[in-house]
């Protein structure tokens, strides 16, 4: 009986020894990227086209869970500073994050669509976030590129896509 008890104790110690380090290192890591992309649109004022210098400011967060490196959460916060004070209607939408591995396109995660809203009286703002259905291979490093689009039927161009927010999902 003592031999059986010792063997069970050794098995329990072995299981705990090999599983505790994995449990001890289970954690999350947030990859954050920030970028501002400037552009010019033209709006009609009578018979004259008036230029407006605008910018799309983007912040992208990608939360990765360890071990196994699963993407558990993605968000993009997008704003056009001063956009709410424009003399024409416009919106900005944060929509997609594209993933690349070794320069090769792998997949696109579409964030849940929500309408742009005014968070601050001087900014045109959009926030999209969600838990992705991740279809990326475990234990790989990816480059993530977030896309945000300015849209207005009152300007030329009517749409402009900012796509330079890049982050490494490691």
């Amino acid at each position: 009986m003592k031999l059986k008890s010792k063997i069970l104790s050794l098995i329990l110690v072995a299981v705990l020894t090999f599983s505790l380090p994995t449990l001890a290192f289970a954690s999350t890591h947030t990859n954050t990227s920030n970028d501002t992309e400037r552009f010019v649109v033209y709006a009609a004022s009578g018979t004259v086209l008036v230029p407006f210098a605008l910018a799309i400011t983007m912040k992208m967060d990608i939360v990765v869970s360890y071990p196994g490196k699963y993407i558990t959460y993605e968000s993009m916060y997008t704003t056009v500073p001063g956009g709410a004070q424009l003399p024409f209607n416009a919106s900005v939408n944060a929509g997609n994050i594209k993933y690349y591995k070794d320069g090769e396109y792998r997949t696109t995660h579409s964030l849940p669509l929500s309408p742009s809203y005014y968070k601050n009286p001087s900014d045109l703002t959009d926030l999209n976030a969600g838990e992705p259905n991740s279809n990326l291979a475990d234990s790989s490093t990816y480059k993530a590129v977030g896309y945000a689009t300015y849209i207005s039927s009152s300007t030329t161009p009517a749409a402009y896509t900012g796509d330079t927010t890049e982050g490494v999902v490691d």
Side-chain angles (χ1 to χ4, degrees):
M1 191 63 130
K2 285 186 177 186
L3 182 60
K4 192 175 187 181
S5 178
K6 285 183 181 182
I7 291 173
L8 286 174
S9 295
L10 287 173
I11 290 172
L12 181 61
V13 168
V15 167
L16 289 175
T17 301
F18 289 108
S19 65
L20 282 180
T22 302
L23 295 174
F25 292 109
S27 65
T28 61
H29 171 71
T30 302
N31 297 275
T32 299
S33 301
N34 293 287
D35 192 26
T36 298
E37 191 164 316
R38 290 162 174 55
F39 60 103
V40 175
V41 297
Y42 297 88
S45 176
T47 58
V48 179
L49 286 178
V50 179
F52 290 88
L54 301 178
I56 295 177
T57 300
M58 296 168 275
K59 179 183 178 201
M60 179 173 65
D61 288 322
I62 300 170
V63 179
V64 181
S65 179
Y66 295 89
K69 200 178 348 181
Y70 293 97
I71 296 174
T72 57
Y73 188 78
E74 298 166 309
S75 71
M76 272 193 71
Y77 175 82
T78 307
T79 184
V80 175
Q85 298 174 351
L86 294 171
F88 50 83
N89 291 327
S91 66
V92 61
N93 296 299
N96 296 316
I97 299 176
K98 290 188 178 182
Y99 289 91
Y100 299 84
K101 173 127 177 89
D102 300 325
E104 184 179 319
Y105 168 78
R106 295 300 173 125
T107 189
T108 298
H109 288 177
S110 296
L111 297 175
L113 295 177
S114 63
S116 297
Y117 62 94
Y118 297 106
K119 181 176 182 183
N120 178 313
S122 65
D123 294 336
L124 189 62
T125 305
D126 188 39
L127 169 65
N128 284 309
E131 298 177 14
N133 178 9
S134 186
N135 53 356
L136 302 174
D138 299 344
S139 304
S140 296
T141 299
Y142 293 88
K143 179 173 98 170
V145 181
Y147 291 83
T149 305
Y150 156 91
I151 300 167
S152 175
S153 60
S154 304
T155 63
T156 303
Y160 181 85
T161 299
D163 63 355
T164 58
T165 300
E166 298 178 5
V168 175
V169 181
D170 51 2

